[in-house]
Amino acid sequence: MYSGRYKNKMRQLLICITSAYLSSGFVTSAQAQSSIVKRESLRLPVLTSKEVAIEKNSDDATPLQLLPFVEDIKLFKLLEPVDNFNAITQFEFSREEKSKIFEDRKFTVKIDGKETINFNDQGFAPDIKPGDGVFTGFSRVDFDEIERDEQALLKRLSRSKVDSVKVFSGRAVTSTSKFSVEHAIRQKDSIKPEKLQFGKNVVAVRIPSIFNTISSIPFTADENKVLGINNVAVVANPGFTYDPCNTDGTGNDVDPDAPWSFKTLMSNLNQGTGLTDQEFIHNWLSNWINSTSVNGQNIPARPAITDYFPGWNGINPVTLDVDNLPFRLLSIMNRLDLAKVGYSGVSSQGETRFVFGLLNPNTCGPAVGIDQMTAILEYADPASSCSSVKSRAQQWLELDDFAVGSPIYMNKLKTITDNVTLAPAAAATLNQLRTNDFAFDGIGALSSPWSLREFVVDVGGSGLLEPATTKQTPPTSLRASPITAEYIEGNAANVLCETYVVPDTFTTSGGLTVPFLAASLDYLNTSFWAPPVNQANLPASFPSCHSSSISSISPFVTLPTQIQSEARHKFSVNTCDDCHARETNTTFTHISPVTRNFSGFMTGVVVDDPLLGGVAFGGIEREFDDLQRRGQIVQDLAVRSCKAGIFLGSPILQANLPLQFTH
């Protein structure tokens, strides 16, 4: 079953009004130069009715109601304020989806729980023409802040020597284009502000912005200092980490209570259980000693886990040596890219992750080959508003200014991580602990495949780390099942737009109800999801919310086959197992527990479609470079303007981040 925290996150997602679409109004330079009255379609590829909703915060707010996909958005600065409003926001919805707002021609939102904004398509000021599908409302925007942030962005870009930028659609790279700050500035300066009359004595102007001319911003910082920190000077630093084997020769085998040791981070989760830290960690490890059950499915025991914990008998907690747990820190990961900020505040928090690798007690070195295993503690960032998300992004980027591993670098990084790892808050901030093991069938044994598991703290209950379902992933027995095909066909638009949420259970058209979220996942590096989806049961064309993941395609691939491939791929790549397997050409782990190296998915790789093959064979290719994608988002968050809890004008955020990313 879902944890209470996960259910709450899903509820929050449904009341999110995605920031950039409903607040920006800044569009491309070509559109800015065209007639403002002309309603040109700006295809914003991610936002769908699943992402945009009206929040019921007071009697003044419209009751919870899903809104259609946003096709166009504009922001205007009033020449003279109207009732303390200094701006007009205007947006246009897709007519592909039915919605009550097309009948009502109005809705109300409560911004940040404070300010009420009314939008209408009834011809009431500032709306220009009733019934034209364009909803308009007065708003308050800090245009000076927009200018300051624009200058901050230009300063950072000018310092870099980047001359190209990758353009992302969801997780995939769709193109690489030339990049020039000077060219972007020239484009902006060539755009003339245009005025529009919104009623008697109500005149506003759409002011050009540098964001009109930059659809993608290259990440200018060092990825390994800001996004995926795997440098030995940090992850084997003797003042911050502990490795009982001193694998890297840094002398970090002294203090098992170091702030980033596995023992310390696990002990900080032990809040209100009544157990000692030794008992708490023993209880978690015991999940491999005995079989357990989640969502009606058995998780098989792997009792040979004791091979890796000398002296521990798997029964008595006293026998567990918590000062010499066989884990070393591999990487600290900045996942602020997972944050989503809308009118309702932070609807989906970013994460800070600590990735550990297993040690072999017999060799006192990294467990290799068939004995590999990783454990990842994934903490929810504390940011709860637009400004706090922006501040956290700036904190991460600031690390780029200092030598990696230097005292100032380490202290600033610890300041960032302390927000989530310190007791007593750690138990509440941990979203999940994920494990990926090929080891616990015993040292040197090859009796069990790689297995993914997920644990959450039972906050408000036992306080223990309890097994949980693996999110967005059905049982692997359904990989090629007609049941999964039926689910994809019945939810095709949401799958194609990556706005679906895999439910605990699924009931087929024949009335059969099956567990549909897995309890654990056994898999191979060749695994991928390929249920027999029928092209005839999919849409005849892509929905307007679809964001293509295809980097290259053979001219022989028909549109129905392309739609079928996209539905299959988007479902597969968002599962836990196949994000770590064939769908991304990954050999089980994105961070090697032996070398700490990142996978090609993280650093750049082109992957042939597992079913259709690559372009040379008449198929499809998809390119990934996830650290660059994450970096573009973090940099974007750091320079975007906040007003009343929302980000202004961010096509990058919307192009790079589908709703349901969990990995």
Side-chain angles (χ1 to χ4, degrees), residues 455-470:
F455 302 86
V456 296
V457 176
D458 184 15
V459 177
S462 67
L464 299 174
L465 278 164
E466 302 283 3
T469 53
T470 54

PDB file of all heavy atoms in Angstrom, residues 455-470:
ATOM      1  N   PHE A 455      11.848   1.160   1.097  1.00  0.00           N
ATOM      2  CA  PHE A 455      11.432   1.236   2.495  1.00  0.00           C
ATOM      3  C   PHE A 455      11.056   2.676   2.828  1.00  0.00           C
ATOM      4  O   PHE A 455      11.644   3.627   2.308  1.00  0.00           O
ATOM      5  CB  PHE A 455      12.570   0.792   3.424  1.00  0.00           C
ATOM      6  CG  PHE A 455      13.078  -0.596   3.170  1.00  0.00           C
ATOM      7  CD1 PHE A 455      14.055  -0.818   2.209  1.00  0.00           C
ATOM      8  CD2 PHE A 455      12.586  -1.688   3.880  1.00  0.00           C
ATOM      9  CE1 PHE A 455      14.535  -2.100   1.955  1.00  0.00           C
ATOM     10  CE2 PHE A 455      13.059  -2.962   3.631  1.00  0.00           C
ATOM     11  CZ  PHE A 455      14.039  -3.169   2.675  1.00  0.00           C
ATOM     12  N   VAL A 456      10.074   2.831   3.719  1.00  0.00           N
ATOM     13  CA  VAL A 456       9.695   4.152   4.212  1.00  0.00           C
ATOM     14  C   VAL A 456       9.591   4.095   5.730  1.00  0.00           C
ATOM     15  O   VAL A 456       9.302   3.040   6.312  1.00  0.00           O
ATOM     16  CB  VAL A 456       8.348   4.630   3.627  1.00  0.00           C
ATOM     17  CG1 VAL A 456       8.442   4.815   2.126  1.00  0.00           C
ATOM     18  CG2 VAL A 456       7.216   3.670   3.979  1.00  0.00           C
ATOM     19  N   VAL A 457       9.843   5.224   6.385  1.00  0.00           N
ATOM     20  CA  VAL A 457       9.672   5.305   7.833  1.00  0.00           C
ATOM     21  C   VAL A 457       8.186   5.379   8.142  1.00  0.00           C
ATOM     22  O   VAL A 457       7.457   6.186   7.562  1.00  0.00           O
ATOM     23  CB  VAL A 457      10.399   6.538   8.405  1.00  0.00           C
ATOM     24  CG1 VAL A 457      10.126   6.664   9.900  1.00  0.00           C
ATOM     25  CG2 VAL A 457      11.891   6.442   8.149  1.00  0.00           C
ATOM     26  N   ASP A 458       7.740   4.529   9.035  1.00  0.00           N
ATOM     27  CA  ASP A 458       6.337   4.528   9.445  1.00  0.00           C
ATOM     28  C   ASP A 458       6.107   5.671  10.428  1.00  0.00           C
ATOM     29  O   ASP A 458       5.980   5.470  11.632  1.00  0.00           O
ATOM     30  CB  ASP A 458       5.982   3.185  10.073  1.00  0.00           C
ATOM     31  CG  ASP A 458       4.497   3.083  10.431  1.00  0.00           C
ATOM     32  OD1 ASP A 458       3.714   3.918   9.929  1.00  0.00           O
ATOM     33  OD2 ASP A 458       4.134   2.178  11.208  1.00  0.00           O
ATOM     34  N   VAL A 459       6.091   6.896   9.871  1.00  0.00           N
ATOM     35  CA  VAL A 459       5.909   8.091  10.693  1.00  0.00           C
ATOM     36  C   VAL A 459       4.505   8.077  11.304  1.00  0.00           C
ATOM     37  O   VAL A 459       3.517   7.848  10.614  1.00  0.00           O
ATOM     38  CB  VAL A 459       6.114   9.365   9.855  1.00  0.00           C
ATOM     39  CG1 VAL A 459       5.856  10.607  10.696  1.00  0.00           C
ATOM     40  CG2 VAL A 459       7.517   9.393   9.273  1.00  0.00           C
ATOM     41  N   GLY A 460       4.421   8.324  12.589  1.00  0.00           N
ATOM     42  CA  GLY A 460       3.132   8.300  13.272  1.00  0.00           C
ATOM     43  C   GLY A 460       2.722   6.911  13.700  1.00  0.00           C
ATOM     44  O   GLY A 460       1.701   6.735  14.367  1.00  0.00           O
ATOM     45  N   GLY A 461       3.504   5.913  13.314  1.00  0.00           N
ATOM     46  CA  GLY A 461       3.238   4.532  13.711  1.00  0.00           C
ATOM     47  C   GLY A 461       4.405   3.987  14.501  1.00  0.00           C
ATOM     48  O   GLY A 461       4.830   4.557  15.513  1.00  0.00           O
ATOM     49  N   SER A 462       4.964   2.904  14.005  1.00  0.00           N
ATOM     50  CA  SER A 462       6.066   2.255  14.711  1.00  0.00           C
ATOM     51  C   SER A 462       7.355   3.059  14.656  1.00  0.00           C
ATOM     52  O   SER A 462       8.234   2.901  15.504  1.00  0.00           O
ATOM     53  CB  SER A 462       6.312   0.867  14.110  1.00  0.00           C
ATOM     54  OG  SER A 462       6.801   0.982  12.776  1.00  0.00           O
ATOM     55  N   GLY A 463       7.477   3.927  13.633  1.00  0.00           N
ATOM     56  CA  GLY A 463       8.716   4.673  13.453  1.00  0.00           C
ATOM     57  C   GLY A 463       9.811   3.864  12.793  1.00  0.00           C
ATOM     58  O   GLY A 463      10.921   4.366  12.584  1.00  0.00           O
ATOM     59  N   LEU A 464       9.526   2.614  12.451  1.00  0.00           N
ATOM     60  CA  LEU A 464      10.521   1.733  11.850  1.00  0.00           C
ATOM     61  C   LEU A 464      10.558   1.910  10.331  1.00  0.00           C
ATOM     62  O   LEU A 464       9.615   2.442   9.726  1.00  0.00           O
ATOM     63  CB  LEU A 464      10.198   0.276  12.183  1.00  0.00           C
ATOM     64  CG  LEU A 464      10.178  -0.093  13.666  1.00  0.00           C
ATOM     65  CD1 LEU A 464       9.705  -1.534  13.850  1.00  0.00           C
ATOM     66  CD2 LEU A 464      11.565   0.081  14.273  1.00  0.00           C
ATOM     67  N   LEU A 465      11.649   1.470   9.732  1.00  0.00           N
ATOM     68  CA  LEU A 465      11.722   1.406   8.283  1.00  0.00           C
ATOM     69  C   LEU A 465      10.966   0.175   7.817  1.00  0.00           C
ATOM     70  O   LEU A 465      11.358  -0.958   8.098  1.00  0.00           O
ATOM     71  CB  LEU A 465      13.180   1.332   7.827  1.00  0.00           C
ATOM     72  CG  LEU A 465      13.930   2.655   7.745  1.00  0.00           C
ATOM     73  CD1 LEU A 465      15.437   2.421   7.665  1.00  0.00           C
ATOM     74  CD2 LEU A 465      13.458   3.487   6.556  1.00  0.00           C
ATOM     75  N   GLU A 466       9.855   0.407   7.126  1.00  0.00           N
ATOM     76  CA  GLU A 466       8.975  -0.679   6.708  1.00  0.00           C
ATOM     77  C   GLU A 466       9.052  -0.863   5.192  1.00  0.00           C
ATOM     78  O   GLU A 466       9.200   0.113   4.442  1.00  0.00           O
ATOM     79  CB  GLU A 466       7.526  -0.367   7.098  1.00  0.00           C
ATOM     80  CG  GLU A 466       7.308  -0.128   8.582  1.00  0.00           C
ATOM     81  CD  GLU A 466       7.291  -1.421   9.388  1.00  0.00           C
ATOM     82  OE1 GLU A 466       7.509  -2.499   8.793  1.00  0.00           O
ATOM     83  OE2 GLU A 466       7.062  -1.358  10.604  1.00  0.00           O
ATOM     84  N   PRO A 467       8.937  -2.102   4.705  1.00  0.00           N
ATOM     85  CA  PRO A 467       8.901  -2.322   3.249  1.00  0.00           C
ATOM     86  C   PRO A 467       7.714  -1.599   2.619  1.00  0.00           C
ATOM     87  O   PRO A 467       6.637  -1.511   3.217  1.00  0.00           O
ATOM     88  CB  PRO A 467       8.758  -3.843   3.119  1.00  0.00           C
ATOM     89  CG  PRO A 467       9.166  -4.399   4.437  1.00  0.00           C
ATOM     90  CD  PRO A 467       8.822  -3.363   5.459  1.00  0.00           C
ATOM     91  N   ALA A 468       7.926  -1.081   1.428  1.00  0.00           N
ATOM     92  CA  ALA A 468       6.869  -0.372   0.707  1.00  0.00           C
ATOM     93  C   ALA A 468       6.895  -0.805  -0.756  1.00  0.00           C
ATOM     94  O   ALA A 468       7.819  -1.482  -1.207  1.00  0.00           O
ATOM     95  CB  ALA A 468       7.077   1.141   0.814  1.00  0.00           C
ATOM     96  N   THR A 469       5.868  -0.425  -1.486  1.00  0.00           N
ATOM     97  CA  THR A 469       5.820  -0.748  -2.909  1.00  0.00           C
ATOM     98  C   THR A 469       6.856   0.064  -3.675  1.00  0.00           C
ATOM     99  O   THR A 469       7.279   1.141  -3.244  1.00  0.00           O
ATOM    100  CB  THR A 469       4.430  -0.451  -3.485  1.00  0.00           C
ATOM    101  OG1 THR A 469       4.070   0.901  -3.171  1.00  0.00           O
ATOM    102  CG2 THR A 469       3.391  -1.392  -2.929  1.00  0.00           C
ATOM    103  N   THR A 470       7.263  -0.448  -4.816  1.00  0.00           N
ATOM    104  CA  THR A 470       8.186   0.263  -5.697  1.00  0.00           C
ATOM    105  C   THR A 470       7.361   1.132  -6.641  1.00  0.00           C
ATOM    106  O   THR A 470       6.668   0.628  -7.509  1.00  0.00           O
ATOM    107  CB  THR A 470       9.033  -0.736  -6.499  1.00  0.00           C
ATOM    108  OG1 THR A 470       8.175  -1.648  -7.174  1.00  0.00           O
ATOM    109  CG2 THR A 470       9.965  -1.495  -5.586  1.00  0.00           C
TER     110      THR A 470
END
